[in-house]
Amino acid sequence: MDIHTEHRYAINLNVRGIQPSSTLRINELSNHLKAEGKDIIKLGLGQSPFPVPERVVRALQDHAQEKDYLPVKGLKGLRQAISGYINRKAKLSSSWEDVLIGPGSKELLFILQLAYYGDLLIPRPSWVSYAPQARIIGRSVHWLPTHAENNWQLTAEELDIICRDDPTRPRILILNYPSNPTGCTYTEEQLLAIANVARKYRLILLSDEIYGEVHFEGKHKSIARYYPEGTIISTGLSKWAGAGGWRLGTFIFPPELRPLLDAMAIIASETFTSTSAPIQYAAIPAFEGGDDIEEYLVQSRRVLKVIGEYVHRRLCDMGAEVQKPEGAFYLFPNFSSFREILAKRDIKTSQAFCQALLESTGVATLPASDFGFVPDHLGARLAFVDFDGAQALTMAASEFGDCDLNDEFVQKACPRIVMAMDKMERWLGSL
């Protein structure tokens, strides 16, 4: 290879060796296998199964003609709606000027790390894109240990340990709850204790609350109530309004962090310019809420809770160790009780486990190694989303409207989830 060819392909060393996002990769692989005629049950990509609320869809149709560039920080009407939303939900007192709109919360997280020069603190297990983003930008990542016995929750003590040796070091702590990949969440007491440590070390705390509205009991609490001056709340439309492909995310800052918001807006102005105009207009009624949005959320929570409990029980009966989810649409089972029998088939890593499961049963999952664990941790993330969300919402509100949802509902509304559990049980039993 001559020098000109070498220079032509001189890829940034921070990017070389990084694989495409594993959640998107498994989705594309699943679609490829389905296109080949194979029956794939898609428990890999965490995409909401529910339709976008009708009023929000109509708003997009009504504003399809909006073609002008909007302000970098976002449409004022949307920023006002989001400020009102977060003030209602989290009992805060933000103003519209505290809100930044982006093409997905993932992009906002990326430019946050560009704008703020600090290490990234991530509880393990974590969502798959936090650490790769930091690596691309060239930031240091410190994994914070959590334990299954504690529902994979970060403790204030573990946070203090990593901060105390260099107490003035700039750091961003990401707290995601209800959690992707575990479905677990924090109590108010846990949040208060973490907030006190964050304040002690003046951490920037990014509270990723994208699943807050799908807390099964509708009782999500934001840590911003306990550490308002240093917390940025991250949310969007993808997980609670079914609009992942719309690509709209938002950060809500405290006034004390306005310089950081402004710095991010400068980066935004030189990169994505602004978020899609029709999408921003359409998002206003979603964040303004109303009886229809609340009913949509109530039924979504009912459906997700009963499926989560069903899948949890089935996995436990199979012999997996798994925590009961409290929100979102994930479980994080550990199959280490099968370690010896799996090793006889040369299945010694979570990657090999998920690959064998996919090839043998058609059930697509993600390995624990994608979420920060060492390769031989025999865990996997299941996203229990392969069902017709519109049909499930209708059935929950009508046929099952006057009673608790149960296994009969799961079998009627979510037959592919039942099939996935049956296939996994048979496969594990045949090892």
Side-chain angles (χ1 to χ4, degrees), residues 262-376:
D262 292 340
M264 288 177 61
I266 291 170
I267 297 171
S269 74
E270 301 291 0
T271 52
F272 63 78
T273 304
S274 62
T275 303
S276 165
I279 298 296
Q280 290 200 55
Y281 281 99
I284 292 174
F287 285 103
E288 285 180 340
D291 292 344
D292 57 336
I293 301 294
E294 285 306 311
E295 176 64 13
Y296 171 92
L297 288 171
V298 165
Q299 298 303 340
S300 297
R301 293 169 188 145
R302 291 180 72 213
V303 170
L304 292 175
K305 179 181 179 181
V306 72
I307 301 171
E309 290 177 347
Y310 171 84
V311 176
H312 173 262
R313 186 176 71 251
R314 291 292 305 271
L315 289 168
C316 288
D317 290 345
M318 293 177 208
E321 178 189 346
V322 59
Q323 288 64 45
K324 191 173 182 179
E326 301 164 274
F329 27 77
Y330 306 109
L331 294 104
F332 196 62
N334 184 346
F335 296 94
S336 61
S337 61
F338 296 89
R339 184 176 300 279
E340 289 186 12
I341 196 166
L342 287 167
K344 293 177 182 177
R345 296 197 175 198
D346 200 31
I347 300 172
K348 300 177 181 179
T349 67
S350 60
Q351 180 72 51
F353 176 87
C354 291
Q355 189 67 34
L357 178 65
L358 178 60
E359 292 173 354
S360 301
T361 69
V363 176
T365 60
L366 284 177
S369 55
D370 284 343
F371 298 87
F373 280 95
V374 293
D376 66 350

Side-chain angles (χ1 to χ4, degrees), residues 153 175-186 208-216 220-221 326-330:
Q153 306 295 57
L175 213 60
N176 166 229
Y177 65 104
S179 164
N180 175 4
T182 69
C184 299
T185 195
Y186 289 90
D208 185 351
E209 302 180 27
I210 195 79
Y211 298 98
E213 288 285 22
V214 283
H215 182 293
F216 295 159
H220 175 76
K221 298 289 191 298
E326 301 164 274
F329 27 77
Y330 306 109

Side-chain angles (χ1 to χ4, degrees), residues 13 31 50 67 73 104 106 110 118 121 128 145 177 207 212 215 271 276 294 296 316 318 323 327 335 374 383 400 412:
L13 292 177
N31 288 337
F50 301 120
K67 65 180 183 61
K73 293 180 180 178
K106 182 187 283 191
F110 187 77
L121 305 182
V128 297
Y177 65 104
S207 188
H215 182 293
T271 52
S276 165
E294 285 306 311
Y296 171 92
C316 288
M318 293 177 208
Q323 288 64 45
F335 296 94
V374 293
F400 290 84
K412 282 188 174 183

